[in-house]
């Protein structure tokens, strides 16, 4: 009886491993449409920077197809305010990405010439 239980256990583990290994992995890529829209909205800042400034921006898409800025991780308060002002509640096409999703994107604002 012990041998039968052990055999059933081994078959169950093998079967469950085979099923989980055969599933198609989900592609995790940021939609180009969102990054392109953000790039266009953040062009030509209205303030001067002495050096390139990087930020990590977390946004969500709401049911009205609008971007909502959840957080901006940067050392510059001016850059944080600029990003929030330019991106919050701007429309984005959600045909391919859907709504109620959040994205974390790196943003670099180049220094002024």
């Amino acid at each position: 009886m012990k041998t039968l239980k052990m055999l059933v256990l081994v078959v169950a583990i093998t079967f469950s491993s085979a099923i989980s290994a055969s599933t198609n992995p989900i592609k995790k890529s940021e939609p180009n449409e969102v990054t392109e829209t953000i790039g266009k909205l953040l062009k030509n800042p209205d303030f001067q920077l002495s050096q390139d400034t990087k930020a990590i921006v977390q946004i969500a898409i709401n049911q009205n197809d609008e971007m909502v800025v959840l957080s901006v991780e940067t050392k510059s308060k001016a850059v944080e305010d600029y990003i929030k002002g330019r991106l919050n509640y701007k429309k984005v096409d959600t045909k391919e990405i859907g709504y109620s999703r959040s994205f974390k994107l790196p943003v670099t604002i180049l220094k002024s010439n």
Side-chain angles (χ1 to χ4, degrees):
M1 189 70 171
K2 275 187 169 180
T3 310
L4 182 62
K5 287 181 182 179
M6 186 60 97
L7 180 63
V8 169
L9 180 63
V10 168
V11 169
I13 290 172
T14 305
F15 183 69
S16 66
S17 298
I19 288 177
S20 66
S22 67
T23 59
N24 293 333
I26 298 172
K27 285 185 181 179
K28 186 164 181 147
S29 64
E30 297 163 10
N32 288 335
E33 183 137 358
V34 174
T35 55
E36 287 174 10
T37 302
I38 289 174
K40 288 176 187 174
L41 290 171
L42 294 179
K43 275 189 177 180
N44 304 325
D46 53 357
F47 57 93
Q48 300 290 320
L49 289 173
S50 59
Q51 62 184 9
D52 293 352
T53 305
K54 295 185 180 196
I56 302 295
V57 180
Q58 186 171 2
I59 63 166
I61 309 297
N62 67 15
Q63 66 271 14
N64 297 326
D65 300 336
E66 298 168 333
M67 289 186 285
V68 178
V69 178
L70 301 175
S71 69
V72 179
E73 297 173 23
T74 185
K75 294 178 182 177
S76 172
K77 179 70 173 156
V79 170
E80 180 181 350
D81 293 341
Y82 172 72
I83 290 172
K84 286 179 180 178
R86 287 277 182 111
L87 297 183
N88 247 346
Y89 300 105
K90 301 297 185 211
K91 292 278 188 179
V92 66
D93 188 12
T94 59
K95 290 177 192 169
E96 293 183 19
I97 59 173
Y99 66 91
S100 295
R101 294 198 45 203
S102 86
F103 303 95
K104 202 169 200 177
L105 306 167
V107 172
T108 303
I109 298 182
L110 303 176
K111 68 179 180 177
S112 306
N113 291 331

